Amino acid sequence: QAAAAAAAADAAKRREAEASRRAEAAEARAKRAVGEAEASRSRQEAQIRTLSGQRSQQLAEAAAREAHWSGRCSELQQEATALRAALAQQGEAAAAQIGQLQGALRRSDGGGGGGGVN
């Protein structure tokens, strides 16, 4: 009986040691899984920060381009207005000059004794 009890106690110790080893292995796997999840989360957070920074930079660049082209558009509109005004003045001056030339031509035709009809 003593031998059987000793054998049963020894078997119980082995089962307890095996259960303890399995529990330690499960705990190690759980710790690895937690570590991997934390590392993955850190990588994702870093990626989010990177993308957020890129988005902010792109928005700033787009705003700068918009401001540049808006200013350039205003400059071109002012230039076009000035050119239209200059062209109108030139047209008026040309019309006056044409009038003067036509008047001089009529006077030369009429005063030269040519057969011009007025």
Side-chain angles (χ1 to χ4, degrees):
Q1 268 187 344
D10 191 41
K13 282 183 185 177
R14 281 196 305 275
R15 283 191 302 274
E16 183 181 343
E18 178 64 19
S20 176
R21 185 192 63 74
R22 286 182 184 164
E24 287 174 0
E27 186 177 349
R29 285 192 305 273
K31 284 182 180 178
R32 274 195 309 274
V34 167
E36 289 170 4
E38 288 175 348
S40 175
R41 181 178 175 176
S42 293
R43 285 191 302 273
Q44 289 172 345
E45 288 173 347
Q47 188 175 17
I48 287 169
R49 283 192 300 273
T50 299
L51 292 173
S52 178
Q54 288 174 350
R55 181 175 176 266
S56 295
Q57 182 178 353
Q58 289 169 347
L59 287 172
E61 289 171 358
R65 282 193 303 273
E66 182 182 357
H68 166 76
W69 289 115
S70 176
R72 186 68 182 124
C73 186
S74 294
E75 291 171 6
L76 290 173
Q77 286 174 336
Q78 290 172 356
E79 189 175 335
T81 300
L83 288 172
R84 277 193 294 271
L87 189 58
Q89 283 181 335
Q90 287 176 354
E92 291 171 5
Q97 206 169 19
I98 288 170
Q100 290 172 354
L101 290 171
Q102 285 174 336
L105 187 60
R106 279 194 300 272
R107 284 192 300 278
S108 72
D109 282 348
V117 176
N118 288 345

